[in-house]
Amino acid sequence: MNLLKKENKKIEKVSFNYWINKAWHKKNKARLVFIHGLGEPPIVWKKVVSQFPEVPVCVIERPEYNNVLNVNSKAVLILVDKFLGNILKAEELSQTYLIGHSLGSYFALCSNLNIKGRILIAPFYHLYINNLSFINDDVNSQINKGFGVECSDLIKKEFTSLIRMVPESVKKQEYNIYDHLTLSGKKILKKNTLIIRPLGDLIVSKRQIKQLLSIVPSEKSIIYVPHTGHNIIYESPEVISSIISDYIN
Protein backbone atom coordinates (compact mmCIF):
# COMPACT_ATOMS: atom_id res chain seq x y z
CA MET A 1 0.00 0.00 0.00
CA ASN A 2 1.92 3.02 -1.28
CA LEU A 3 -0.01 5.48 0.85
CA LEU A 4 0.90 3.68 4.07
CA LYS A 5 4.09 2.75 5.90
CA LYS A 6 4.51 -0.90 6.90
CA GLU A 7 5.40 -1.69 10.51
CA ASN A 8 5.79 -4.91 12.50
CA LYS A 9 5.40 -5.72 16.17
CA LYS A 10 5.53 -8.94 18.16
CA ILE A 11 2.93 -9.67 20.82
CA GLU A 12 3.49 -12.86 22.83
CA LYS A 13 5.83 -14.14 20.07
CA VAL A 14 3.16 -13.58 17.41
CA SER A 15 4.17 -11.28 14.57
CA PHE A 16 1.74 -8.49 13.63
CA ASN A 17 2.07 -6.62 10.34
CA TYR A 18 0.33 -3.28 10.13
CA TRP A 19 0.35 -0.16 7.99
CA ILE A 20 0.00 3.45 9.12
CA ASN A 21 -0.45 6.66 7.12
CA LYS A 22 1.42 9.95 7.53
CA ALA A 23 -1.32 11.35 9.77
CA TRP A 24 -1.05 8.47 12.26
CA HIS A 25 1.02 10.42 14.79
CA LYS A 26 -1.31 13.41 14.85
CA LYS A 27 -2.91 14.03 18.23
CA ASN A 28 -6.47 14.88 19.25
CA LYS A 29 -7.91 13.22 16.16
CA ALA A 30 -10.45 10.49 15.51
CA ARG A 31 -8.52 7.35 14.53
CA LEU A 32 -9.51 4.63 12.10
CA VAL A 33 -8.26 1.06 12.46
CA PHE A 34 -9.20 -1.31 9.63
CA ILE A 35 -9.39 -5.13 9.92
CA HIS A 36 -9.71 -7.32 6.80
CA GLY A 37 -11.82 -10.42 6.14
CA LEU A 38 -11.12 -14.15 5.79
CA GLY A 39 -9.17 -14.85 2.58
CA GLU A 40 -8.60 -11.25 1.55
CA PRO A 41 -5.33 -9.40 2.28
CA PRO A 42 -5.11 -6.05 4.10
CA ILE A 43 -4.52 -4.31 0.74
CA VAL A 44 -8.26 -4.59 -0.02
CA TRP A 45 -8.66 -1.43 2.11
CA LYS A 46 -6.34 0.63 -0.12
CA LYS A 47 -9.03 2.50 -2.06
CA VAL A 48 -11.01 3.19 1.11
CA VAL A 49 -8.15 4.49 3.27
CA SER A 50 -6.80 6.69 0.46
CA GLN A 51 -9.81 8.94 1.07
CA PHE A 52 -8.57 9.81 4.58
CA PRO A 53 -5.15 11.49 4.13
CA GLU A 54 -5.67 13.81 7.11
CA VAL A 55 -7.13 11.19 9.46
CA PRO A 56 -4.85 8.85 11.45
CA VAL A 57 -5.29 5.46 9.77
CA CYS A 58 -3.97 2.00 10.59
CA VAL A 59 -4.63 -1.19 8.64
CA ILE A 60 -3.81 -4.35 10.58
CA GLU A 61 -3.20 -7.86 9.34
CA ARG A 62 -5.12 -10.44 11.35
CA PRO A 63 -2.50 -12.47 13.26
CA GLU A 64 -3.74 -15.83 11.93
CA TYR A 65 -3.44 -14.62 8.33
CA ASN A 66 0.33 -15.21 8.17
CA ASN A 67 0.96 -17.14 11.39
CA VAL A 68 0.05 -20.72 12.26
CA LEU A 69 -1.75 -20.30 15.57
CA ASN A 70 -2.97 -23.37 17.42
CA VAL A 71 -5.47 -21.39 19.48
CA ASN A 72 -9.20 -20.75 19.26
CA SER A 73 -10.88 -17.64 17.90
CA LYS A 74 -11.33 -16.09 21.35
CA ALA A 75 -7.59 -16.32 22.00
CA VAL A 76 -6.91 -14.63 18.63
CA LEU A 77 -9.31 -11.86 19.60
CA ILE A 78 -7.43 -11.31 22.87
CA LEU A 79 -4.17 -11.12 20.90
CA VAL A 80 -5.61 -8.42 18.62
CA ASP A 81 -6.77 -6.41 21.64
CA LYS A 82 -3.30 -6.68 23.21
CA PHE A 83 -1.71 -5.53 19.96
CA LEU A 84 -4.00 -2.49 19.68
CA GLY A 85 -3.43 -1.68 23.34
CA ASN A 86 0.30 -1.76 22.64
CA ILE A 87 0.36 0.63 19.66
CA LEU A 88 -2.27 3.02 21.02
CA LYS A 89 -2.25 5.02 24.24
CA ALA A 90 -5.40 5.05 26.37
CA GLU A 91 -6.41 8.53 25.21
CA GLU A 92 -5.86 7.48 21.58
CA LEU A 93 -7.96 4.33 22.02
CA SER A 94 -10.84 6.46 23.28
CA GLN A 95 -10.83 8.26 19.91
CA THR A 96 -10.48 5.09 17.83
CA TYR A 97 -13.05 3.49 15.56
CA LEU A 98 -12.52 -0.18 14.71
CA ILE A 99 -13.71 -0.92 11.19
CA GLY A 100 -14.04 -4.54 10.10
CA HIS A 101 -15.16 -6.26 6.94
CA SER A 102 -16.78 -9.72 7.16
CA LEU A 103 -14.56 -11.74 9.54
CA GLY A 104 -12.84 -8.48 10.48
CA SER A 105 -16.18 -7.23 11.80
CA TYR A 106 -16.08 -10.00 14.42
CA PHE A 107 -12.89 -8.50 15.87
CA ALA A 108 -14.31 -4.99 15.67
CA LEU A 109 -17.55 -5.90 17.44
CA CYS A 110 -16.12 -8.18 20.10
CA SER A 111 -13.15 -6.04 21.16
CA ASN A 112 -13.15 -5.28 24.87
CA LEU A 113 -11.04 -2.14 24.46
CA ASN A 114 -12.27 1.30 25.49
CA ILE A 115 -12.76 2.52 21.93
CA LYS A 116 -14.88 5.33 20.49
CA GLY A 117 -16.97 3.00 18.33
CA ARG A 118 -16.97 0.43 15.56
CA ILE A 119 -18.21 0.04 12.01
CA LEU A 120 -19.18 -3.45 10.88
CA ILE A 121 -19.24 -3.95 7.11
CA ALA A 122 -21.08 -7.02 5.77
CA PRO A 123 -20.88 -8.63 9.22
CA PHE A 124 -21.99 -12.14 10.12
CA TYR A 125 -23.53 -13.60 13.28
CA HIS A 126 -21.95 -17.05 13.15
CA LEU A 127 -19.20 -18.50 10.97
CA TYR A 128 -17.90 -22.06 11.06
CA ILE A 129 -15.09 -22.12 8.53
CA ASN A 130 -15.08 -25.92 8.19
CA ASN A 131 -18.47 -25.56 6.49
CA LEU A 132 -16.91 -23.56 3.65
CA SER A 133 -15.63 -25.25 0.52
CA PHE A 134 -12.04 -24.55 -0.53
CA ILE A 135 -12.08 -26.42 -3.85
CA ASN A 136 -10.88 -23.97 -6.53
CA ASP A 137 -14.09 -23.97 -8.57
CA ASP A 138 -16.17 -23.43 -5.43
CA VAL A 139 -13.89 -20.62 -4.27
CA ASN A 140 -14.30 -18.79 -7.58
CA SER A 141 -18.05 -19.28 -7.36
CA GLN A 142 -18.08 -17.88 -3.81
CA ILE A 143 -16.01 -14.88 -4.91
CA ASN A 144 -18.46 -14.12 -7.73
CA LYS A 145 -21.34 -14.43 -5.26
CA GLY A 146 -19.64 -11.73 -3.21
CA PHE A 147 -20.36 -8.98 -5.75
CA GLY A 148 -23.47 -7.12 -6.80
CA VAL A 149 -25.04 -7.88 -10.17
CA GLU A 150 -23.84 -4.54 -11.57
CA CYS A 151 -20.19 -5.03 -10.61
CA SER A 152 -17.75 -5.05 -13.53
CA ASP A 153 -15.76 -8.15 -14.48
CA LEU A 154 -12.56 -6.11 -14.09
CA ILE A 155 -13.24 -5.46 -10.40
CA LYS A 156 -14.06 -9.14 -9.85
CA LYS A 157 -10.86 -10.18 -11.59
CA GLU A 158 -8.73 -7.75 -9.55
CA PHE A 159 -10.25 -8.97 -6.30
CA THR A 160 -9.90 -12.65 -7.24
CA SER A 161 -6.17 -12.13 -7.91
CA LEU A 162 -5.75 -10.94 -4.30
CA ILE A 163 -7.56 -13.81 -2.60
CA ARG A 164 -5.55 -16.68 -1.20
CA MET A 165 -6.35 -20.05 0.31
CA VAL A 166 -7.11 -20.16 4.01
CA PRO A 167 -4.47 -21.87 6.25
CA GLU A 168 -5.44 -25.23 7.74
CA SER A 169 -5.21 -23.84 11.28
CA VAL A 170 -7.83 -21.21 10.43
CA LYS A 171 -10.20 -23.75 8.88
CA LYS A 172 -10.75 -25.28 12.32
CA GLN A 173 -12.05 -22.01 13.76
CA GLU A 174 -15.60 -21.19 14.73
CA TYR A 175 -16.66 -17.56 15.23
CA ASN A 176 -19.88 -17.08 17.16
CA ILE A 177 -20.67 -13.51 18.13
CA TYR A 178 -23.40 -14.40 20.64
CA ASP A 179 -21.19 -16.91 22.46
CA HIS A 180 -18.42 -14.36 22.79
CA LEU A 181 -20.73 -11.62 24.04
CA THR A 182 -22.16 -14.02 26.61
CA LEU A 183 -18.69 -14.79 27.91
CA SER A 184 -17.37 -11.24 27.96
CA GLY A 185 -20.50 -9.46 29.12
CA LYS A 186 -22.73 -6.91 27.44
CA LYS A 187 -20.58 -3.88 28.27
CA ILE A 188 -18.97 -3.86 24.82
CA LEU A 189 -22.37 -3.31 23.24
CA LYS A 190 -22.50 0.13 24.82
CA LYS A 191 -19.99 1.38 22.27
CA ASN A 192 -21.31 3.27 19.25
CA THR A 193 -21.93 0.76 16.47
CA LEU A 194 -22.73 1.18 12.80
CA ILE A 195 -23.64 -1.80 10.61
CA ILE A 196 -23.30 -1.51 6.84
CA ARG A 197 -25.40 -4.15 5.08
CA PRO A 198 -25.00 -4.57 1.30
CA LEU A 199 -28.45 -5.54 0.01
CA GLY A 200 -26.92 -7.76 -2.67
CA ASP A 201 -24.95 -9.79 -0.11
CA LEU A 202 -25.37 -13.49 -0.97
CA ILE A 203 -22.67 -14.61 1.49
CA VAL A 204 -24.28 -13.46 4.74
CA SER A 205 -27.97 -14.34 4.87
CA LYS A 206 -30.83 -12.09 5.95
CA ARG A 207 -31.37 -14.50 8.84
CA GLN A 208 -27.83 -13.85 10.14
CA ILE A 209 -28.39 -10.09 10.01
CA LYS A 210 -31.67 -10.51 11.89
CA GLN A 211 -29.87 -12.54 14.56
CA LEU A 212 -27.12 -9.94 14.80
CA LEU A 213 -29.61 -7.10 15.18
CA SER A 214 -31.37 -9.03 17.95
CA ILE A 215 -28.31 -8.66 20.20
CA VAL A 216 -27.23 -5.17 19.15
CA PRO A 217 -29.22 -2.53 21.06
CA SER A 218 -31.96 -0.80 19.11
CA GLU A 219 -30.33 2.62 19.35
CA LYS A 220 -27.46 1.43 17.18
CA SER A 221 -27.51 2.17 13.47
CA ILE A 222 -27.69 0.13 10.29
CA ILE A 223 -27.29 1.41 6.74
CA TYR A 224 -28.51 -0.66 3.79
CA VAL A 225 -26.58 -0.16 0.55
CA PRO A 226 -28.38 -1.26 -2.64
CA HIS A 227 -26.80 -2.85 -5.72
CA THR A 228 -23.70 -4.04 -3.85
CA GLY A 229 -22.48 -7.42 -2.66
CA HIS A 230 -20.50 -8.83 0.25
CA ASN A 231 -17.21 -7.46 -1.09
CA ILE A 232 -18.53 -3.89 -0.99
CA ILE A 233 -15.23 -2.45 0.27
CA TYR A 234 -13.60 -3.39 -3.05
CA GLU A 235 -16.67 -3.04 -5.24
CA SER A 236 -17.77 0.40 -3.99
CA PRO A 237 -14.93 1.89 -1.88
CA GLU A 238 -16.17 5.46 -2.43
CA VAL A 239 -19.53 4.55 -0.86
CA ILE A 240 -17.80 3.02 2.18
CA SER A 241 -15.48 6.03 2.56
CA SER A 242 -18.43 8.42 2.43
CA ILE A 243 -20.38 6.49 5.07
CA ILE A 244 -17.35 6.32 7.37
CA SER A 245 -16.66 10.03 6.95
CA ASP A 246 -20.27 10.95 7.77
CA TYR A 247 -20.27 8.67 10.82
CA ILE A 248 -17.08 9.97 12.45
CA ASN A 249 -17.76 13.68 11.78
Side-chain angles (χ1 to χ4, degrees):
M1 282 179 278
N2 294 333
L3 297 172
L4 304 176
K5 177 186 177 185
K6 185 177 180 180
E7 303 277 357
N8 180 273
K9 186 172 287 290
K10 282 197 173 182
I11 303 294
E12 297 185 2
K13 298 182 180 181
V14 175
S15 179
F16 277 84
N17 291 320
Y18 63 105
W19 292 259
I20 55 176
N21 67 351
K22 291 181 180 179
W24 180 248
H25 298 292
K26 288 186 176 180
K27 297 181 179 180
N28 304 318
K29 282 266 193 178
R31 293 175 175 274
L32 306 179
V33 174
F34 295 84
I35 310 172
H36 61 107
L38 180 60
E40 63 195 31
I43 198 173
V44 295
W45 290 110
K46 181 178 179 180
K47 294 178 182 178
V48 173
V49 301
S50 66
Q51 301 302 310
F52 299 98
E54 301 301 321
V55 178
V57 164
C58 175
V59 177
I60 73 170
E61 184 178 84
R62 295 190 339 271
E64 79 280 29
Y65 184 76
N66 264 327
N67 296 281
V68 177
L69 304 179
N70 295 313
V71 295
N72 62 28
S73 58
K74 296 179 182 66
V76 177
L77 177 62
I78 292 170
L79 267 176
V80 172
D81 272 3
K82 286 183 177 180
F83 164 74
L84 292 172
N86 186 280
I87 66 168
L88 288 162
K89 298 175 182 177
E91 61 271 21
E92 293 172 333
L93 273 172
S94 66
Q95 294 298 315
T96 295
Y97 292 87
L98 294 185
I99 303 171
H101 173 243
S102 193
L103 179 57
S105 67
Y106 170 84
F107 293 96
L109 176 63
C110 295
S111 172
N112 270 306
L113 296 173
N114 183 31
I115 55 175
K116 180 81 171 180
R118 54 272 177 107
I119 300 175
L120 318 178
I121 305 170
F124 60 84
Y125 178 81
H126 177 261
L127 176 64
Y128 185 40
I129 297 178
N130 255 353
N131 287 342
L132 301 179
S133 172
F134 294 95
I135 301 171
N136 284 340
D137 288 346
D138 291 339
V139 170
N140 290 332
S141 174
Q142 289 169 9
I143 290 172
N144 283 326
K145 281 174 61 179
F147 291 95
V149 294
E150 298 178 3
C151 183
S152 72
D153 289 338
L154 177 60
I155 293 295
K156 292 178 183 179
K157 186 176 180 180
E158 286 180 359
F159 185 82
T160 303
S161 70
L162 298 174
I163 296 300
R164 67 182 222 182
M165 299 301 286
V166 177
E168 288 297 323
S169 59
V170 176
K171 290 183 186 179
K172 302 173 184 177
Q173 297 292 351
E174 183 170 11
Y175 299 87
N176 191 310
I177 286 172
Y178 180 77
D179 283 354
H180 181 79
L181 296 185
T182 302
L183 287 172
S184 61
K186 302 289 184 174
K187 64 178 182 177
I188 61 178
L189 289 179
K190 294 179 181 178
K191 303 299 178 187
N192 295 326
T193 302
L194 174 67
I195 296 173
I196 301 175
R197 165 67 172 171
L199 287 178
D201 192 340
L202 300 178
I203 305 297
V204 178
S205 67
K206 294 178 181 178
R207 180 173 176 269
Q208 285 226 33
I209 292 297
K210 186 176 181 180
Q211 289 175 309
L212 181 59
L213 290 174
S214 73
I215 62 171
V216 175
S218 58
E219 66 268 17
K220 307 307 178 187
S221 302
I222 181 166
I223 293 177
Y224 297 96
V225 183
H227 313 302
T228 54
H230 186 73
N231 299 322
I232 185 174
I233 64 171
Y234 205 83
E235 179 180 357
S236 300
E238 69 287 345
V239 172
I240 294 300
S241 300
S242 178
I243 293 173
I244 293 172
S245 182
D246 289 344
Y247 189 67
I248 67 173
N249 291 318

